[in-house]
Each structure stands twice: as structure tokens, then as C-alpha cells.
């Protein structure tokens, strides 16, 4: 549909899908066991954790960090940046694109070691809502 903004400019309603953006990946798709190594500390700073979706727009990473030898438990919550497959660690500005089984987050390289049962059969997240954009912005994105 279309409409007109208060300033008289024509608008159309668009969704990420209609603008050629990739489907939003359900974070359940990446449930399973992950490990990571922090650069440049390599073998002296690494960890393992369980990735678990918390709905369609957040997930929890809960595990242990190994720095030299001590074991340090941790829990992180990551929230989707709206309309993207990028997530931001809660309480920080750290962001990462979660679109595969290998992800770089800050100085850490994360790799999924094993999948949770049925995590590879998860449907994409449905577009939650369309947003009005001025027609000139839509045409610029085409």
C-alpha cells in the first residue's frame, strides 16, 4: 500500500523481505555446543558454551572461559538488532552477524562443535511488521 507523509511526500510500506534482504534466521538454528578462542592469546584464552535460543530475537551463551588454567563460568545474552541477523551482546556495544556456524565476535572466533537436535530444521523468523519509507528511499535501495 501507499500513503502520504505529513510533509506531503509519498510513502510505501516495505518489509525487509520486499527490499531483497535475507530472511531473519531464527536463533534456534544455532542451538548446540560452541567453542571459541580469543586472539591474540590463542591457546591461553578459550572457552566452550551451550547456545540456546530465547525466543525469535535473543539467545543465551552459557559456559566456561579458560584463561591459562582457571575456569571462569559465564552467561551472555545476545539480542537481535531489529530487522537483521546481527546480534548485540546485552549491556555492551559488541555486535556480530550470526549467519553461519563460524562467527567472529570482537577478538573471539566462535565455532559450533555440535548441533542441538532439530536445530537444522527451524523455519526463518517471519517479518514482524512493515515500515513506511519515503518512495525516494525505496527507489535508492533497489
Amino acid at each position: 500500500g501507499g500513503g502520504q507523509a505529513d510533509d506531503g511526500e509519498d510513502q510505501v510500506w516495505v518489509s525487509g523481505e520486499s527490499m531483497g534482504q535475507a530472511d531473519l534466521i531464527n536463533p534456534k538454528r544455532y542451538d548446540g555446543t560452541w567453542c571459541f578462542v580469543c586472539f591474540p592469546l590463542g591457546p591461553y584464552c578459550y572457552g566452550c558454551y551451550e547456545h540456546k535460543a530465547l525466543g525469535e530475537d535473543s539467545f543465551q551463551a552459557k559456559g566456561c572461559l579458560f584463561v591459562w588454567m582457571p575456569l571462569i563460568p559465564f552467561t551472555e545474552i545476545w539480542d537481535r538488532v531489529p530487522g537483521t541477523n546481527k546480534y548485540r551482546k546485552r549491556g555492551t556495544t559488541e555486535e556480530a552477524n550470526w549467519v553461519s556456524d563460524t562467527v567472529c565476535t570482537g577478538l573471539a572466533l566462535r565455532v559450533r562443535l555440535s548441533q542441538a537436535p532439530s536445530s537444522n530444521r527451524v523455519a526463518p523468523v517471519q517479518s514482524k511488521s512493515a515500515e513506511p519509507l519515503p518512495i525516494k528511499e525505496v527507489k535508492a535501495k533497489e
Side-chain angles (χ1 to χ4, degrees), residues 18-82:
S18 69
M19 293 301 292
Q21 295 174 354
D23 286 334
L24 296 180
I25 300 170
N26 191 316
K28 186 172 179 56
R29 164 72 179 81
Y30 298 111
D31 281 1
T33 304
W34 289 68
C35 71
F36 63 90
V37 62
C38 296
F39 295 100
L41 300 176
Y44 302 109
C45 184
Y46 61 96
C48 291
Y49 64 93
E50 200 65 27
H51 179 289
K52 182 174 174 44
L54 303 174
E56 292 184 339
D57 291 317
S58 298
F59 66 87
Q60 174 180 276
K62 186 174 186 176
C64 291
L65 171 66
F66 303 91
V67 181
W68 284 274
M69 291 303 281
L71 184 68
I72 303 167
F74 73 89
T75 301
E76 303 171 340
I77 305 291
W78 291 73
D79 299 305
R80 183 186 304 275
V81 175

Side-chain angles (χ1 to χ4, degrees), residues 83-99:
T84 72
N85 286 316
K86 184 180 284 189
Y87 287 79
R88 180 177 299 120
K89 189 186 323 182
R90 198 172 283 179
T92 73
T93 58
E94 184 176 349
E95 291 183 353
N97 283 313
W98 292 80
V99 294

